[in-house]
Amino acid sequence: MYNPTYLDKRELKYIKRKDRLDNTFEWKNEAIQKLQDLNSDIIKLQDILIEEIKSAYELFSKIEKNGMSFLHGFKVIGHFAFEKEIAAKLYELDNPTKNQKAIIDKWDNISWYSREEIEAWQLIFDSLTGDFMPLSKARLNQKETRFWNLNIPDDKDLDFCSFLSHFLKFNKTFSNKDLMELTIKDFTPVVKVILNYDVNELSGFSSCYPYHNADSDFIYYMLEDRCRTLNNSFKWNKKNIEKILEVNNWLWKCTDVLKKELTELNNVFKSLSETDSKYQYYSIEGQIEYHGSEANDIATMVLQRELSRRAAFHFWSLNLDENNSEIRDSIHEDEKLNWNFEVFKPHLSEEQQKIKFHYFMHTVFVDDNIFSLEDLVRMREEDFKVCLEINWFGD
């Protein structure tokens, strides 16, 4: 089921641990009842998650109408975070025992190595339609009764909600024995708002890494080869250099927009936190992404979506939170450091070399090996997006 080539040793250890424990586990009536009780509790928690999502939609719709028109098209994403309650409590101890450290280590690892699969389940609410997206709507009412991987006797009458079904099917490291230790206190509803990220219902937004598997790696290597091939034939003529400088200028304009939007949202959350402790702790993060909106002579729309999905946009971002009201762009703080070196600088005139290059130009078009220079000179200003992610953490 899992290819060891793509797993680290510890991950493989916990996958094998799960298989070993499952081989000797017996689904007695008490165990099945525990699972059904957990399902009932998760259904109630899912109702809370849905209300939180709708509440966030109403709040941000109001903020948009009150002057922040840049929020138009935002989406609300809800999912369940997992942290074993006992491990969280043991973290607070100053001098945990050897046994307590083993408990922390166990739960940290089995949850970490199943995190991607668990968090792939989510509910997405689209502000443009005022409703959940299609797959999310299906998930709300989904019920499942059979799980081939659990080996529960066929004569048992089971009925599990969407999230628990997903959890049981796709986690890599929770054994059946571990499931018996779970309680509803181990799960927390999490809601966030995103803007301008390329959303699909199998991945929350485009900055999420694709799943690590052989097919994913093969596509990545193909894109790298494409990038190298196109860069080798790139012409450093006047027209192309002028376009490169133009794209760099667009990025600085996007940066100004991002700073403005971060500051405005930070002011809103500071005001909200004064009257509602639910917004006392928050983070607002933004980055610039490129999502082509039309095919060109070297990239179909399918290819452009793949390029954007795998590009290193996340290496540069700006953020604010309840403790930091000043935007700090550490990447660009050093006035003497110009990110035109390595590739761009040798082809620029003396005057052009004085132009400050954005870090995006370096990390995306030099270090990343996904977007080529040929892609760069075909980019359009309207396809650069200022993307935001807004989280709040309750009391």
Side-chain angles (χ1 to χ4, degrees):
M1 185 174 182
Y2 301 105
N3 188 336
T5 305
Y6 300 98
L7 303 172
D8 64 42
K9 289 183 179 179
R10 180 171 294 186
E11 182 177 6
L12 190 57
K13 169 188 170 182
Y14 277 89
I15 290 172
K16 288 182 176 179
R17 171 189 174 274
K18 168 182 166 63
D19 292 340
R20 184 179 70 253
L21 292 175
D22 286 352
N23 285 336
T24 59
F25 186 84
E26 293 183 32
W27 282 102
K28 297 180 179 179
N29 290 336
E30 181 183 359
I32 293 173
Q33 188 59 52
K34 275 190 176 182
L35 208 54
Q36 289 181 314
D37 289 344
L38 180 62
N39 179 70
S40 298
D41 289 337
I42 287 177
I43 289 173
K44 295 174 185 175
L45 199 62
Q46 181 174 286
D47 290 339
I48 294 173
L49 177 63
I50 292 168
E51 289 306 311
E52 289 291 327
I53 290 171
K54 291 180 178 178
S55 175
Y57 163 67
E58 291 171 1
L59 171 63
F60 278 82
S61 294
K62 183 177 179 180
I63 295 172
E64 179 188 346
K65 290 176 182 176
N66 287 345
M68 294 192 186
S69 57
F70 65 82
L71 287 173
H72 185 69
F74 72 86
K75 290 179 173 61
V76 186
I77 294 183
H79 68 95
F80 292 115
F82 176 87
E83 183 178 29
K84 192 73 184 83
E85 182 187 24
I86 186 173
K89 289 180 177 179
L90 292 176
Y91 266 128
E92 299 174 1
L93 299 179
D94 292 331
N95 296 297
T97 65
K98 184 177 180 180
N99 183 57
Q100 289 170 333
K101 288 180 180 178
I103 292 172
I104 293 172
D105 187 61
K106 164 193 163 181
W107 287 109
D108 275 358
N109 281 294
I110 65 175
S111 59
W112 174 256
Y113 290 121
S114 286
R115 181 180 56 89
E116 279 187 332
E117 284 79 3
I118 293 171
E119 292 184 1
W121 184 96
Q122 57 195 333
L123 302 176
I124 305 177
F125 195 97
D126 186 354
S127 67
L128 293 178
T129 63
D131 200 356
F132 286 96
M133 293 181 72
L135 180 57
S136 298
K137 282 198 281 190
R139 281 175 170 156
L140 292 177
N141 301 311
Q142 177 188 351
K143 293 180 181 178
E144 196 155 353
T145 59
R146 289 286 170 259
F147 301 96
W148 62 268
N149 57 316
L150 295 185
N151 294 321
I152 297 176
D154 291 339
D155 61 340
K156 300 299 180 182
D157 185 20
L158 304 176
D159 191 16
F160 296 116
C161 68
S162 174
F163 173 72
L164 188 54
S165 299
H166 177 93
F167 185 94
L168 295 174
K169 283 191 291 186
F170 296 114
N171 88 78
K172 290 190 293 190
T173 50
F174 285 80
S175 71
N176 294 336
K177 183 179 178 182
D178 298 323
L179 297 178
M180 295 301 98
E181 297 183 48
L182 301 185
T183 74
I184 197 60
K185 293 181 180 179
D186 303 328
F187 298 90
T188 305
V190 177
V191 174
K192 62 186 171 187
V193 168
I194 64 171
L195 179 71
N196 288 334
Y197 284 104
D198 187 24
V199 171
N200 65 67
E201 292 192 274
L202 297 179
S203 175
F205 45 97
S206 56
S207 64
C208 290
Y209 290 105
Y211 288 120
H212 192 100
N213 56 46
D215 288 342
S216 176
D217 282 353
F218 176 74
I219 294 171
Y220 179 80
Y221 294 140
M222 290 294 289
L223 294 178
E224 272 197 327
D225 183 66
R226 171 188 179 273
C227 181
R228 282 193 296 269
T229 301
L230 290 173
N231 282 347
N232 287 339
S233 61
F234 184 73
K235 301 291 191 297
W236 287 95
N237 54 41
K238 180 180 178 181
K239 180 181 177 182
N240 282 342
I241 291 172
E242 287 178 350
K243 181 59 183 283
I244 288 171
L245 295 175
E246 187 176 25
V247 171
N248 182 62
N249 184 53
W250 295 343
L251 288 165
W252 285 114
K253 286 166 64 177
C254 285
T255 301
D256 290 339
V257 171
L258 176 57
K259 289 180 177 180
K260 176 178 178 292
E261 293 178 358
L262 283 171
T263 301
E264 290 183 13
L265 283 169
N266 188 58
N267 291 336
V268 166
F269 268 80
K270 281 198 172 299
S271 178
L272 287 170
S273 66
E274 292 173 0
T275 57
D276 191 339
S277 60
K278 176 180 176 180
Y279 303 106
Q280 182 178 357
Y281 305 105
Y282 62 88
S283 69
I284 310 165
E285 184 167 340
Q287 64 189 44
I288 300 169
E289 294 199 359
Y290 184 84
H291 295 278
S293 59
E294 62 177 29
N296 58 44
D297 58 318
I298 61 169
T300 64
M301 284 306 303
V302 171
L303 177 55
Q304 291 200 50
R305 281 193 288 271
E306 199 64 38
L307 293 170
S308 294
R309 189 168 77 92
R310 294 168 184 272
F313 301 135
H314 58 285
F315 284 162
W316 178 84
S317 64
L318 298 176
N319 61 78
L320 292 173
D321 57 40
E322 73 277 357
N323 295 317
N324 300 289
S325 298
E326 296 293 327
I327 297 173
R328 183 168 176 261
D329 186 0
S330 59
I331 295 292
H332 296 118
E333 278 182 352
D334 187 349
E335 290 297 324
K336 295 180 181 179
L337 179 58
N338 192 332
W339 291 100
N340 64 4
F341 64 89
E342 288 187 46
V343 170
F344 300 108
K345 188 175 181 178
H347 304 283
L348 303 177
S349 69
E350 187 174 344
E351 282 302 306
Q352 289 171 336
Q353 288 178 14
K354 296 177 183 178
I355 296 172
K356 189 84 169 177
F357 266 56
H358 199 286
Y359 182 61
F360 185 105
M361 298 292 291
H362 179 81
T363 188
V364 174
F365 301 116
V366 177
D367 283 350
D368 196 28
N369 295 323
I370 296 296
F371 278 104
S372 70
L373 295 171
E374 291 287 359
D375 295 309
L376 167 56
V377 297
R378 287 165 175 76
M379 289 182 168
R380 303 170 352 133
E381 183 174 12
E382 58 267 34
D383 291 336
F384 282 91
K385 306 296 181 184
V386 171
C387 303
L388 295 168
E389 179 183 346
I390 305 123
N391 292 271
W392 55 98
F393 311 104
D395 299 329

